[in-house]
Amino acid sequence: MVKEFRILALCAVGIALCSLSATAQQTPAQAQVLSNAVANEPVEFDVSRPLAELLAVAPAQQVVYQTHSPMKTKHPSPAAQLSAKAAGAPEPLIGPLVSARTNLGFEGVGQVGGFYSAPGGINCPKVSGGYLVPPDTNAAVGDTQVVQWINVCYAVFDKSSGALIVGPFPGTNFWKGFGAPCETNNDGDIIIQWDKSNHRWLAAQNVFAGPPYYTCVAVSQTADATGGYFRYVFPQQAGLPDYPKWGLTKSAYYQTQNAFGNSGFAGVNVCAYDTRNMLKGSSKATQVCILDNSNGTLFDDSMLPADDDSVDGPANTEVLMGSIDNFFPGDTHVYEYLFDVNFGNPSKSTLTGVNGSMPISVPAFDLALCSSSFGLTTDCVPQPDSPASEAFFAAVWGFPPGTTGLVDFLDTLGDRLMYRLAHYNKNGTQHFLVAHSVNNTTGVATRWYEFRAQGLGNTKKLSLYQSGQTPDDGYYRWMGSVAMDKKGDIALGYSRSSTTDYPSIYYAGQTAGDPRGTTETEALIKKGMGSQYYSYSRWGDYSSIALDGADSCTFWYTTEFYPVDGSFAFDTWLASLKFPNCR
């Protein structure tokens, strides 16, 4: 993950921010295309015993944690002016209380207690040996199980009851007995996915100890997350592969990551993996990657591949979106990319939309940035003052007792689109949904979009169908994730905080048939009971809302919260919710 911090003793390891400015992009008359594809077979491959059996054998090799550079952030100069609200941005349309209702809600993997007190709950550090921020919380839902993975630990839950089946385990447990580097480098930036078309699990984690750098992929042999896996390690040749994201289709698995070389940001590496052969457990499964350096401008970054929520969805050209952080204070576009992969003849693979050449017009927005003594920052979200933080800073740093204002201002990650780019094929219409954080007049809002296209085989250019936003009421709402069910209902999960309300988990959405752009009034999922301090302002760096492929109606949302004031003391929560008209 980006700017990841770990504590293994009474000291913390910090990483300096890197920055890179970009010039405003001029839209060319024609979309730019790259065809510099590189194809690789796996460096290593094996077929594992069932993970349930591996738990009883000798422990995995000693895990090494890597601290790696942050992703590119394009902060402007201190003289840049941040407007309170983007000109022309519409007032949010807020409807009645969201009609979706929660069903199950239960604790996930966390670090309850943190570094400075005894662990508790489903605690990651007791098996990983260290504390970290942020959790990079994500989850996927299969036929009978839910798997949640935070940065270095995962657990498997029963879908019908929320009961813990197994875990938590270090993420390297997916590659137990596989050997280095996948078994020995628990580096985080993880993704767990459920392939709805093929009923298989995919677990992926990059190796940041390099060069060389690698991607570790485990594809389950069955629908049981505790069963055996086909395990692969593929090279990442373009540099340190930071902030990877995955999108699954029935014909290919897609991965994006920001690549960093010796001179800094080198571009986005966009990869596709041969699903057909990976599902068969073939050692000849191919990885095809294109490095996008925006033809030298480095405009393109932080892409999300579309992730198919449609059971037996069509095998289309893959759609990606990203690169919203090139204009300050904001822009009126998000940027589309199209990846056409050819596993039979990789040299014919292409990436279209390079250098921001396929912009999609959206309502004006200001990125969720705020002013600081160093210019603009994404550390903007306030929390209530914390007696625990006051005591800590008094004892450790000698602050006068009762000093306030010591809690973190939390990171909005307002410079990128948030995981996932959810895709749903409904009666031949392609729906794409994604969210990000924006400033409003009184705080930060979660903005969401629905883009549409009719049959990507003929029409590859997406257009905005609607855009919605959470209220402008003094609260800060960020770290959103959005998806659509088979009836067209939209669910949106996010965190909410203020100077008087602890960071808590909320959801909103839109019932099919509501006026376009309407965001229904939010409802609470889990109330936070503490503020975070001395944790480098990190929050997220992503949450996830997953659609259950068994009914294409039930959403599962997961993210973090604090049960008490603490440092490196987050917990996580999972909740299912459903709209009443979806059956």
Side-chain angles (χ1 to χ4, degrees), residues 123-372:
N123 193 262
C124 178
K126 72 181 181 183
V127 297
S128 70
Y131 292 82
L132 60 89
V133 291
D136 290 354
T137 314
N138 69 115
V141 53
D143 290 337
T144 62
Q145 300 163 323
V146 175
V147 180
Q148 184 205 40
W149 201 355
I150 69 169
N151 234 321
V152 295
C153 295
Y154 74 95
V156 182
F157 300 89
D158 179 77
K159 186 172 82 172
S160 62
S161 67
L164 178 67
I165 297 175
V166 290
F169 303 119
T172 47
N173 193 67
F174 282 111
W175 296 277
K176 195 171 186 180
F178 192 50
C182 298
E183 186 183 3
T184 56
N185 290 80
N186 201 11
D187 290 344
D189 266 15
I190 40 69
I191 293 292
I192 185 71
Q193 279 274 25
W194 171 253
D195 179 343
K196 296 177 177 63
S197 295
N198 299 298
H199 296 261
R200 302 287 191 90
W201 298 95
L202 177 140
Q205 179 169 227
N206 286 356
V207 173
F208 299 123
Y213 303 103
Y214 299 99
T215 289
C216 304
V217 186
V219 177
S220 68
Q221 299 173 48
T222 69
D224 181 7
T226 68
Y229 283 76
F230 302 125
R231 304 189 297 191
Y232 300 84
V233 56
F234 290 95
Q236 287 290 340
Q237 297 173 322
L240 187 151
D242 191 43
Y243 206 66
K245 297 293 175 285
W246 287 76
L248 273 54
T249 73
K250 70 177 182 181
S251 59
Y253 297 152
Y254 295 92
Q255 177 197 29
T256 60
Q257 49 257 305
N258 293 300
F260 289 87
N262 293 332
S263 300
F265 180 66
V268 184
N269 207 30
V270 181
C271 298
Y273 295 80
D274 181 0
T275 299
R276 180 177 62 87
N277 277 317
M278 293 183 84
L279 293 173
K280 293 192 304 184
S282 170
S283 62
K284 300 298 184 181
T286 306
Q287 171 208 57
V288 176
C289 298
I290 290 179
L291 177 62
D292 174 12
N293 74 346
S294 316
N295 290 323
T297 72
L298 301 180
F299 180 94
D300 305 333
D301 66 88
S302 306
M303 293 183 192
L304 294 177
D307 185 36
D308 192 8
D309 279 340
S310 317
V311 178
D312 296 323
N316 292 318
T317 298
E318 176 67 355
V319 173
L320 308 100
M321 289 185 180
S323 309
I324 64 169
D325 63 333
N326 294 282
F327 299 88
F328 294 93
D331 191 13
T332 56
H333 300 92
V334 298
Y335 296 89
E336 177 189 355
Y337 305 86
L338 298 168
F339 189 18
D340 286 285
V341 63
N342 188 323
F343 292 111
N345 190 345
S347 64
K348 292 186 177 180
S349 301
T350 59
L351 181 68
T352 305
V354 173
N355 201 20
S357 57
M358 290 181 66
I360 306 174
S361 295
V362 298
F365 61 85
D366 276 350
L367 300 175
L369 306 174
C370 54
S371 299
S372 76

